[in-house]
Amino acid sequence: HNGLKFSCPIHGSDSKSAYAYFGNDIYPPNWKCYSNNCHEKVGSSLISFLKTILKKDYQGCVEWLKDLDIQPDIINSVTKFNQTAKLTLKR
């Protein structure tokens, strides 16, 4: 799997114990926190992740993605998820 290791922003980990999987045509991109299982608490989808860290509802996350020129119909694409994950984690 292609992906990105990062410190989990949900529980404030300092270690790179979370991983964003960029998926393929069969599996949509998702993420997982290996140290605290935060993905089970908030959901493993991109929108669930964004809703939690941005403190926005679904529509707010869609608007946030549109501001980054990422349209809702392509938020599950590998490239766009990769870009969004990197931008989000730099916040």
Side-chain angles (χ1 to χ4, degrees):
H1 285 294
N2 291 326
L4 174 70
K5 283 180 83 171
F6 57 96
S7 299
C8 180
I10 306 299
H11 75 273
S13 169
D14 289 333
S15 66
K16 294 193 178 212
S17 59
Y19 196 83
Y21 297 91
F22 300 140
N24 56 37
D25 292 338
I26 298 171
Y27 302 106
N30 60 20
W31 75 285
K32 185 172 186 174
C33 171
Y34 284 96
S35 65
N36 213 32
N37 293 320
C38 294
H39 61 285
E40 292 177 2
K41 299 169 191 157
V42 303
S44 62
S45 71
L46 170 60
I47 291 292
S48 296
F49 180 76
L50 291 177
K51 282 171 63 174
T52 304
I53 64 171
L54 296 176
K55 309 240 185 297
K56 295 182 181 282
D57 62 7
Y58 177 85
Q59 190 58 40
C61 291
V62 169
E63 293 302 318
W64 186 83
L65 289 168
K66 283 182 182 178
D67 287 346
L68 297 174
D69 211 16
I70 300 170
Q71 299 304 313
D73 58 330
I74 57 172
I75 60 173
N76 281 335
S77 77
V78 173
T79 302
K80 292 299 182 183
F81 183 83
N82 188 353
Q83 291 170 359
T84 303
K86 287 180 181 176
L87 286 169
T88 302
L89 296 171
K90 288 181 181 178
R91 286 179 30 98

